[in-house]
Amino acid sequence: MKREGMKNAKLVGHISHIRHIRYMRHIRNIKLIKYIVIIISAAALATFGIIQATAPAAPTASREIVISMPYSSQIRNIDTNYFKQWLEERTGLSIKFNIIYESLSPSYLRSMFNSGYVKSDALFSFFGDGDPDEINRALEELGEMGHIVPLNAFIGQSTFLAGITERYPEYDLISAMSSADGNIYYMPGYDPSTPESISQVLWLNQSWLKQLSLGIPRTTGDLRDVLHAFKTRDPNANGIADEIPLSGSRDVESEHSYDYIINAFIYNDPANSRFITESGGIRFAPATGEWRDAMKYLNGLYGDGLLSHFQFAMGHDSLAAMANDPRGILGGFASKSIIDVIYQSNPEIINDFIHIAPISAPGGAGGAVVRTPAPHPAGIITSSCEDPEAVFRLFDLMLSEEAFIIGRYGEEGVDWERAHISDMDSYGNRATIKVVNMLRNKAQNKHMREMGPFFAYPEYADGVTFMFEGSHEYINARAYRSYGQFWPAEYIRSIRFEMGAQENAAELRALRGRVDAHTDACIEAFTTGAADPFDDDAWESYLRAYDEIGLAKLIDAVQTSASIGYNIP
């Protein structure tokens, strides 16, 4: 089992790639002095370490490059976009965007290339978030077919990517970006900030708690009592039994309220197929007695109408409509951020909800899942590009601190300003950025919603000063601080069969998918009563199905492919 969290920065499983990187680092030694001078000079120009991005020498003026990117209703006019114009000024390029309105799946992208439709020099953010192995394999296939350009030769010439990998070796970006063939096919979009480490938060209607004189639930028993009161005691005081105690959505993982509840019984990490690390070994949570206890509890909530059937039936938009209903009908939901579900235009509803720290079951400690962010392919150069070096320089510039700040917060002096020495961020630390015009989740023309390469420098992503205590940033930060106290000491960061010297990686990924599908289907079945978690025969049948799928083989593979992280208090 691989061990991470130590100081080594070896790239596991890619010996030839390691040699390549070491060679390129040798070449970069010549450039290191220039890089240091840039950093020192920038310190004199910026407060609190905000670096003015000094891009490499610009290519021929007015060279046009064409970049395809997904459509976003939150970008008003990409041609006059502030960030786009800043990039053009810094590089000397003329950037033309080709907006794609279709589905952005790997299969769609392959069909685009095969049809000859792709005439762009580069692609922005086509793959989104997903399993790194699957994404890298899809990119490897496109590379093998000659549709996209490997970036290995350019990586060693980078300025800002090189700075990131040297400054933040713990993220091991080069390894995560590498395909099994040893090539790197993209420049990353990567956000390691605190919110991205949080899996989900449970939010309860605190106005209902106050109306009914109820305390904050700390245990599964407390939660049942609160939800029962929400259902039976008319907390919205309209004389109608229209209250929905607890709900969620089927299509957004962080909005699965049942996952929060399962964590009261046993550590429950859907992103890593619910495997847990324990005493140097791997354990599969859904095959344990604690998991069965969780299923019995969920079955009871559902049977009493305390966990809504909408959890398994409706999508995100329906959950948001329910949460924003002016009648005040929802008692609780799970999400990553309060404004993922409640609209920013409804601050009074936002302030009706409060985060609930992880609860514990009898005999269980309760816990919160640590999410390990993975880089996604934010910048890809196609084989149609006549000047890949110029496009790579653009990508590298987009990984600078200055580019990140503009790309997230907008225009200095208009949308944000540098924090005063006395300003504190939402986590109680010295702030670096003071946002004066919030651009998130609304139509604007200052940034490109982080489509294209970016790196969210933690000191600026987390270092925002809150406007007032009722702001959603402050509400989220309080929740994240609370949940961080419940992280386990040891956890699985990721499972990458490609990096574990597994010759049959594709077969193992398919096996993992079948195991996940069985787990998800049985959570719903046990919760809704389609299967009875109290019945021994039903439980044994459930476990036998794992054996028939091949769980034992998957456990052996995970044992050698899981990357372990450590939470140091």
Side-chain angles (χ1 to χ4, degrees), residues 12 15 48 67 70 82 98 122 228 319 337 454 521 548 554 559:
V12 180
I15 300 301
F48 307 133
I67 300 175
Y82 177 80
N98 176 35
H228 186 265
L319 174 62
S337 163
F454 76 93
E548 294 167 1
L554 183 62
Q559 187 79 30

Side-chain angles (χ1 to χ4, degrees), residues 101-330:
Y101 295 86
E102 305 295 331
S103 168
L104 303 178
S105 65
S107 60
Y108 172 74
L109 197 57
R110 278 192 291 268
S111 67
M112 284 175 59
F113 278 113
N114 291 334
S115 68
Y117 177 73
V118 177
K119 301 298 183 184
S120 303
D121 298 290
L123 309 175
F124 272 0
S125 302
F126 267 77
F127 282 83
D129 298 320
D131 179 77
D133 279 350
E134 294 182 7
I135 289 174
N136 284 328
R137 179 55 191 157
L139 291 170
E140 187 178 338
E141 291 176 2
L142 292 174
E144 291 172 351
M145 292 186 287
H147 294 316
I148 61 176
V149 177
L151 303 183
N152 300 50
F154 303 116
I155 295 291
Q157 303 171 22
S158 67
T159 297
F160 298 107
L161 178 62
I164 290 167
T165 58
E166 292 175 8
R167 183 172 166 185
Y168 304 100
E170 64 272 24
Y171 301 141
D172 202 12
L173 275 179
I174 297 298
S175 177
M177 293 159 57
S178 299
S179 295
D181 62 2
N183 285 320
I184 296 174
Y185 291 101
Y186 68 87
M187 287 287 264
Y190 188 64
D191 187 348
S193 62
T194 298
E196 296 306 309
S197 297
I198 300 297
S199 174
Q200 64 178 172
V201 173
L202 182 70
W203 309 94
L204 286 186
N205 194 320
Q206 64 176 332
S207 66
W208 287 12
L209 292 173
K210 293 175 182 177
Q211 173 73 14
L212 302 176
S213 300
L214 298 171
I216 299 294
R218 307 294 183 190
T219 67
T220 51
D222 293 342
L223 181 62
R224 167 178 273 281
D225 291 342
V226 165
L227 296 179
H228 186 265
F230 282 180
K231 178 178 175 61
T232 61
R233 294 174 55 188
D234 193 25
N236 63 8
N238 65 358
I240 303 171
D242 57 354
E243 291 86 356
I244 299 169
L246 178 63
S247 194
S249 79
R250 67 173 183 269
D251 53 0
V252 178
E253 184 179 288
S254 62
E255 294 168 7
H256 296 169
S257 297
Y258 53 80
D259 277 330
Y260 166 89
I261 292 171
I262 294 171
N263 267 294
F265 295 83
I266 190 170
Y267 189 72
N268 171 39
D269 181 4
N272 288 303
S273 299
R274 298 178 167 90
F275 284 100
I276 55 179
T277 176
E278 192 173 83
S279 302
I282 293 294
R283 189 180 180 204
F284 184 57
T288 65
E290 297 97 323
W291 189 273
R292 186 180 184 183
D293 290 338
M295 296 302 102
K296 293 176 180 178
Y297 180 83
L298 289 169
N299 179 273
L301 291 184
Y302 189 90
D304 291 341
L306 307 183
L307 175 60
S308 171
H309 68 281
F310 291 127
Q311 168 67 87
F312 301 105
M314 69 182 183
H316 166 79
D317 290 344
S318 297
L319 174 62
M322 181 186 294
N324 289 276
D325 192 311
R327 295 173 298 170
I329 60 173
L330 184 59

